Amino acid sequence: MEPTPEQSPHHAYPDHWEADVVLRDGGTARIRPITTDDAERLVSFYEQVSDESKYYRFFAPYPRLSARDVHRFTHHDYVDRVGLAVTIGGEFIATVRYDRIDGQGRPASAPADEAEVAFLVQDAHQGRGVASALLEHIAAVARERGIRRFAAEVLPANNKMIKVFRDAGFTQQRSFEDGSVHLTLDLEPTAESLAVQRAREQRAEARSVQRLLAPGSVAVIGVGRAPGGVGRSVLRNLLGSGFTGRAYAVNTSFDAGTGTVEGVPAHRSVSEIGEQVDLAVVAVPADRVPAVVADCGESGVQGLVVLSAGYAERGAEGRERQRELVRQARSYGMRIIGPNAFGIINTAPEVRLNASLAPESPKAGRIGLFTQSGAIGIAVLAGLHRRSAGLSAFISAGNRADVSGNDFLQYWYEDPGTDVALLYLESLGNPRKFTRLARRTAAVKPVVVVKGARHSGTNPPGHAVPVSRIPDATVSALMRQAGVIRVDTVTEMVDVGVLLAGQPLPDGPRVAILGNSESLGLLTYDACLAEGLRPRPPRDLTTVASPRDFRNALAEALADRTCDAVIVTAIPWVGEDGEAETGDGEVLAAALREAAATGPAKPVAVVHVEMGGLAQALAAATSTAAPPAHRPSGPGPQAPSAAPGTPGGSAPGTPTPSASDGRAGAPGDLAPSTTRAPGHPAASPGRAPAAEGAPSSGRAPVSEAAPSPGRPAPDAGRIPAYPAAERAVRALAEAVKYAQWRRQAATPGKVPEFLDDTIDEHGTAELIGRLLGPDPDPRGRPLTHDEACELLAGYGIAVRPALPAPDPEAAVAAAGQLGYPVALKTTAPHLRHRADLGGVRLDLAGENALRRAYDELTDLLGTPAELRPVVQAMAPRGVDTVVRASIDAAAGAVLSFGLAGAPSELLGDTAHRLVPATDRDAAELIRSIKAAPVLFGWRGSAPADTAALEELLLRVSRLVDDHPEVVSAALEPVVVATHGLTVLGASVRLAPPPARSDLGPRRLPSY
């Protein structure tokens, strides 16, 4: 019996509709269903709406709501009548409502699938993207309730509302009727609506980060009255960095007469300041933080950096305290870095912010650094300092309860001051979103990641995010697919970062090696081969080589069209005066920089031994202008040019370097004027436009196409130096692989059209519905062999029949039906796919051989009932492979490939790609395993039909992408012959599809 309206679960309060969202200006708001308790809020909200907005909503003067109106707008059944509100500080700032209607526009119930929708946004909040966010959420609610279309009547003068509908990306129709514009929106998501949604998400989240990194004023809360302590230290660091905005010291314990602390105004609360405070740094005990957050929220603070500990890292009680902190801050429209954070740094000259526990700001540079660990952040800062490398921004997010690495990827994607993004991550709160954002960012600038806690199977204390069970090897493969440079240690991250920040991307793997040590050159050569590069024989300049010899040799190597990169090796040498050159390396550095500056744009790295000052001398540069992009380059694909309008040349008054005589001026006099840093892409038509409400003077805009004149580009053209050949080569190898990925990403793969003609998507969906039944078990169910074969056949995947053989006579009969030669194998779970245990007999040419094999199996391994033997016709000889697909609730659907057998499993030789896979993904999947040569004629064998294998991979990918109920599928073995392939075994598991948060309306995560 159908439930009555009072009994229906649809009429219960739908708390899963509640969501925190980031608005266009970077502030946050909460969207939730309207309830009967909201009457006073609704009336107060309506009183603050202008008469013009009321007229646009009701098509007539409507100064106030009647009691009947209030009852109608606050009483909903959450099925046919739904209302949502946007709140900040607990008060309404906008509402939306839909009413289900029939074909004549009258109130209706299901199965009517159309609804009338209307919005009202408070005038003070118009232009913040509130209505656009509401439309996304009310559309998702409507789809959940079986509504497929929205109808809206809008006055022609209401241009803002018409634009909201027009720009949403939904399929729509418009007509002019009775003096109003009639709009009909098809609510089925489209590629355009998804693109619009993600572009808005990027602009909003980037803007929210920009508000944190470039505040006009900062209040440090918890500044001690006496020197020492966290708050006082942060204030000193802030002032010591030369912060360009206003700073305030806050402590409730300050005496009433306390005027200043450390030379800045002192107050007992933020509300006492009386001026706008953009950012608050919170350094008080955890139990006092709620009062601080309330004070900040009531005072209009835009963001918080919470250094306080005592949250999720302390267990269940702390985890709940952390959730409440996030809820409270978001209710006021604020975002949080932390808690348990180390702080943030922005080196931009127009900001110069050091709101962290680091006593000194790093040098200005073009590397952005995000870490989830304060200790690791300190280590990386120290490593970059030793290498004379600068940062654009540094963020140590601690428990990262709100702002995460994903938000900073959104920001760095368009930030003109960042060329390389470095991230140390211990957990991935939203892997689907991370891979999507990383792929987009990596297409314009390198993203280098170190993943901690790889093998623990749990998240570190304080990280209250879902635990993904996906193996680390799979995570690494998926990062590579997204263009992420995955390294194992923070040392490697620094090594790769300084190379990418200062050198152009290589056009290929060909490496020239030159230097004054034959042994060091050979070590470098061996390291190149180990990393898959193609080194040329090392050029030995001998130990008597002068800086002039190094310069000439480097210039020749750079000019060589058969060379893509150069590694210079150097040991101390004996000068003309008989004294060993072991000092600062300034002369050699000048010679190398001159050669690199005047030659074609190719990456150069230096390996040095016992030349302590060489790295610093190589990094020395004084130019504060971003370099131009007119440097000549060799043949082949070019790395992206510098952004148009980028100023070039040395700063005014900078002397022109020269090392023709082997001498150089003082360190800092030399700066290559024609070297382009990678990841500094030109603006393109496809780049998302700037966020509305761009900051005024004193704040760093996030969407400029190029740095403004005078913006430092101190990393550009610096030659990185390494104390070991292996480190330099590994960094260069990562740059080579990344450059290759970038070239390929410029022309993405696609799903071949021929698949559409051989796939029955609708029939397979009906079959899955029947197999799962009307009330499926949430745990799912495995399919029988016949069911799996029928399901796969709908996608053109044929599985070779296998007939049961419960006794010898049945085996002989099955062989007679299939035709000899046949295979006899067990299907018992403990013996399945274990040919090494003797559970398979092949090439049985006749009845006698089959009976003999049957007796051997049962004598050796057990009874027929235990073994479950089957008979299968022999397939053409080939390479045994395995194709699998599975769905991870956090990462999504993953397609995997490897060779069949214990060795591949033991060595973990399996490749992975995210679904949906393109033709390029399928080709790379086959070729990326270590044993791939077996498929391509290894040791004189006939090459396998990899084209057929790629097609099979694409079919499996399409199956799990079209039908998320297929939570796992395994084809094992797949025998790939010279012509064609044969699937000998298959297993499929169905379950209700997991939720896809990445396809719903925008919302901030809530852990």
Side-chain angles (χ1 to χ4, degrees):
M1 183 180 72
E2 291 292 324
T4 65
E6 292 76 15
Q7 297 171 326
S8 172
H10 289 323
H11 291 257
Y13 179 81
D15 54 7
H16 64 287
W17 293 351
E18 295 181 355
D20 294 315
V21 297
V22 184
L23 302 178
R24 183 180 299 154
D25 62 358
T28 65
R30 186 161 186 80
I31 295 177
R32 65 168 177 83
I34 297 175
T35 72
T36 56
D37 296 331
D38 289 322
E40 292 184 7
R41 293 186 186 87
L42 181 66
V43 171
S44 175
F45 157 72
Y46 194 76
E47 289 174 349
Q48 298 177 63
V49 175
S50 69
D51 290 339
E52 181 184 46
S53 294
K54 293 173 182 176
Y55 185 88
Y56 284 153
R57 168 65 176 85
F58 293 103
F59 291 20
Y62 216 90
R64 64 186 58 84
L65 296 175
S66 66
R68 182 176 179 181
D69 292 329
V70 173
H71 182 274
R72 177 183 170 219
F73 293 146
T74 57
H75 287 68
H76 306 94
D77 61 11
Y78 303 125
V79 180
D80 300 325
R81 302 182 310 281
V82 172
L84 301 180
V86 182
T87 67
I88 295 179
E91 299 301 320
F92 285 8
I93 66 166
T95 62
V96 65
R97 173 186 173 89
Y98 81 64
D99 293 88
R100 195 188 300 258
I101 58 176
D102 60 16
Q104 286 72 46
R106 297 172 299 192
S109 298
D113 61 358
E114 185 171 338
E116 188 175 34
V117 66
F119 295 76
L120 186 59
V121 180
Q122 209 173 84
D123 294 67
H125 295 277
Q126 292 179 8
R128 301 184 64 197
V130 176
S132 298
L134 264 181
L135 178 56
E136 289 179 20
H137 283 262
I138 196 68
V141 167
R143 288 193 297 268
E144 181 181 328
R145 296 311 195 211
I147 292 172
R148 297 291 173 259
R149 291 181 305 282
F150 272 163
E153 299 291 336
V154 186
L155 289 174
N158 193 357
N159 294 317
K160 292 180 180 179
M161 200 65 242
I162 293 175
K163 187 174 188 300
V164 168
F165 288 120
R166 185 186 66 218
D167 294 348
F170 293 118
T171 302
Q172 57 185 272
Q173 295 179 341
R174 282 187 291 176
S175 61
F176 190 78
E177 302 174 7
D178 300 327
S180 66
V181 178
H182 180 80
L183 294 161
T184 302
L185 277 73
D186 186 339
L187 300 184
E188 186 66 25
T190 65
E192 182 181 356
S193 68
L194 186 60
V196 168
Q197 177 179 314
R198 289 178 173 172
R200 288 172 174 166
E201 173 192 66
Q202 187 274 326
R203 290 193 296 269
E205 293 180 358
R207 176 66 175 136
S208 73
V209 169
Q210 189 272 336
R211 298 204 314 179
L212 293 165
L213 284 178
S217 54
V218 176
V220 182
I221 304 173
V223 174
R225 289 173 291 182
V230 173
R232 191 80 170 231
S233 298
V234 172
L235 180 61
R236 285 186 174 180
N237 298 341
L238 178 68
L239 300 175
S241 67
F243 177 53
T244 59
R246 302 181 306 278
Y248 307 95
V250 177
N251 191 327
T252 56
S253 299
F254 283 156
D255 296 330
T258 305
T260 63
V261 173
E262 300 287 349
V264 303
H267 300 274
R268 288 185 289 187
S269 67
V270 175
S271 59
E272 285 186 4
I273 294 175
E275 296 180 336
Q276 173 65 38
V277 175
D278 296 329
L279 178 69
V281 183
V282 182
V284 302
D287 59 350
R288 291 174 49 196
V289 170
V292 169
V293 174
D295 180 32
C296 292
E298 297 293 340
S299 303
V301 174
Q302 296 178 348
L304 304 174
V305 177
V306 181
L307 309 183
S308 311
Y311 288 89
E313 78 277 7
R314 298 287 177 85
E317 182 179 349
R319 189 175 298 111
E320 184 53 40
R321 184 184 296 122
Q322 182 167 299
R323 292 192 181 106
E324 183 54 38
L325 168 65
V326 175
R327 283 194 291 264
Q328 184 186 15
R330 287 179 179 173
S331 72
Y332 287 108
M334 298 184 292
R335 301 211 68 183
I336 298 174
I337 290 180
N340 198 26
F342 187 77
I344 60 175
I345 297 174
N346 183 358
T347 64
E350 62 270 28
V351 180
R352 295 200 298 270
L353 171 74
N354 181 4
S356 78
L357 294 171
E360 293 184 9
S361 290
K363 296 170 60 175
R366 308 192 67 80
I367 298 175
L369 173 61
F370 175 90
T371 79
Q372 292 177 354
S373 163
I376 296 297
I378 294 171
V380 178
L381 285 176
L384 290 169
H385 176 73
R386 286 192 299 270
R387 307 288 286 277
S388 298
L391 290 176
S392 60
F394 164 75
I395 307 94
S396 179
N399 295 359
R400 68 127 176 86
D402 179 26
V403 177
S404 70
N406 284 347
D407 295 287
F408 281 91
L409 284 176
Q410 299 275 40
Y411 173 74
W412 282 326
Y413 169 64
E414 285 190 323
D415 177 32
T418 301
D419 289 337
V420 182
L422 308 183
L423 297 95
Y424 171 77
L425 306 175
E426 292 177 341
S427 61
L428 295 174
N430 189 340
R432 292 178 193 258
K433 184 175 180 179
F434 174 80
T435 53
R436 170 169 59 86
L437 300 185
R439 177 188 290 271
R440 186 192 59 193
T441 304
V444 295
K445 60 187 67 174
V447 178
V448 187
V449 171
V450 175
K451 177 70 169 61
R454 292 179 292 171
H455 305 298
S456 64
T458 60
N459 289 325
H463 292 225
V465 299
V467 177
S468 175
R469 301 301 179 186
I470 189 168
D472 182 68
T474 306
V475 172
S476 183
L478 300 185
M479 284 189 179
R480 291 285 183 185
Q481 182 185 6
V484 173
I485 302 171
R486 169 80 182 271
V487 294
D488 293 330
T489 68
V490 292
T491 300
E492 291 178 1
M493 179 168 69
V494 173
D495 285 345
V496 175
V498 295
L499 176 70
L500 292 171
Q503 296 295 305
L505 294 176
D507 287 339
R510 301 168 300 179
V511 181
I513 302 168
L514 60 93
N516 62 351
S517 168
E518 182 180 10
S519 299
L520 193 53
L522 291 174
L523 286 173
T524 305
Y525 182 85
D526 291 342
C528 287
L529 291 176
E531 292 293 336
L533 301 178
R534 291 164 52 190
R536 294 169 48 184
R539 178 178 176 182
D540 182 17
L541 304 179
T542 76
T543 56
V544 299
S546 67
R548 179 186 304 174
D549 297 325
F550 273 91
R551 183 206 63 204
N552 293 338
L554 177 56
E556 290 176 19
L558 290 173
D560 188 342
R561 292 176 176 268
T562 66
C563 160
D564 301 311
V566 182
I567 297 179
V568 178
T569 63
I571 62 172
W573 70 92
V574 177
E576 295 177 357
D577 55 5
E579 294 185 3
E581 173 61 62
T582 60
D584 294 336
E586 297 170 5
V587 177
L588 176 59
L592 296 177
R593 287 206 306 272
E594 182 183 5
T598 56
K602 298 176 183 179
V604 178
V606 172
V607 178
H608 64 93
V609 174
E610 296 301 325
M611 299 185 69
L614 180 60
Q616 288 75 15
L618 282 169
T622 58
S623 173
T624 59
H630 62 265
R631 181 175 174 183
S633 178
Q638 300 298 312
S641 61
T646 304
S650 301
T654 302
T656 302
S658 174
S660 59
D661 60 353
R663 304 290 179 183
D669 287 346
L670 300 173
S673 62
T674 54
T675 304
R676 174 203 45 78
H680 195 156
S684 64
R687 181 63 62 85
E692 292 189 24
S696 59
S697 176
R699 301 185 183 223
V702 301
S703 54
E704 296 175 352
S708 58
R711 169 80 191 202
D715 291 328
R718 288 181 167 174
I719 301 176
Y722 302 86
E726 297 79 9
R727 290 173 57 179
V729 170
R730 192 174 298 119
L732 180 59
E734 295 294 351
V736 169
K737 287 183 282 190
Y738 169 69
Q740 181 183 14
W741 179 89
R742 271 253 300 248
R743 289 189 292 270
Q744 292 176 345
T747 53
K750 58 183 180 180
V751 177
E753 296 181 359
F754 70 82
L755 292 180
D756 296 333
D757 299 330
T758 57
I759 287 176
D760 183 6
E761 182 177 347
H762 180 70
T764 303
E766 290 184 342
L767 174 61
I768 290 173
R770 292 197 304 272
L771 293 173
L772 281 176
D775 187 21
D777 186 338
R779 296 170 298 179
R781 55 160 293 212
L783 300 188
T784 65
H785 176 75
D786 290 343
E787 290 171 340
C789 292
E790 183 182 1
L791 177 67
L792 294 169
Y795 274 67
I797 302 170
V799 181
R800 179 152 293 210
L803 303 180
D807 55 55
E809 300 305 323
V812 171
Q817 180 178 341
L818 297 172
Y820 290 99
V822 296
L824 177 68
K825 54 187 181 182
T826 66
T827 60
H830 66 288
L831 296 172
R832 193 177 183 88
H833 308 308
R834 291 299 306 276
D836 54 311
L837 297 181
V840 179
R841 296 292 188 273
L842 302 176
D843 284 319
L844 304 176
E847 180 178 340
N848 292 336
L850 176 58
R851 290 183 181 275
R852 185 166 54 252
Y854 199 100
D855 292 340
E856 290 175 356
L857 277 182
T858 53
D859 290 343
L860 178 64
L861 300 175
T863 66
E866 295 172 329
L867 301 182
R868 308 177 194 174
V870 296
V871 174
Q872 197 170 44
M874 285 296 298
R877 292 286 186 179
V879 180
D880 289 358
T881 65
V882 180
V883 175
R884 293 191 179 97
S886 61
I887 293 182
D888 179 85
V894 178
L895 183 67
S896 304
F897 170 77
L899 298 191
S904 292
E905 293 185 17
L906 184 64
L907 299 175
D909 190 18
T910 305
H912 311 275
R913 291 293 185 275
L914 281 176
V915 169
T918 66
D919 52 358
R920 176 175 293 162
D921 291 328
E924 291 176 352
L925 199 60
I926 294 171
R927 290 159 178 80
S928 58
I929 61 173
K930 296 182 179 65
V934 174
L935 294 164
F936 295 92
W938 182 62
R939 299 182 68 178
S941 61
D945 189 348
T946 53
L949 185 55
E950 291 171 15
E951 180 182 331
L952 177 65
L953 287 165
L954 291 171
R955 291 183 182 277
V956 174
S957 169
R958 177 78 178 272
L959 171 65
V960 297
D961 189 45
D962 289 346
H963 307 285
E965 299 89 349
V966 182
V967 294
S968 70
L971 310 182
E972 183 178 3
V974 177
V975 182
V976 189
T978 304
H979 299 288
L981 56 77
T982 307
V983 180
L984 297 182
S987 60
V988 177
R989 184 176 186 84
L990 300 181
R996 287 289 302 272
S997 59
D998 58 319
L999 295 181
R1002 289 174 285 160
R1003 64 170 62 214
L1004 288 170
S1006 179
Y1007 303 124

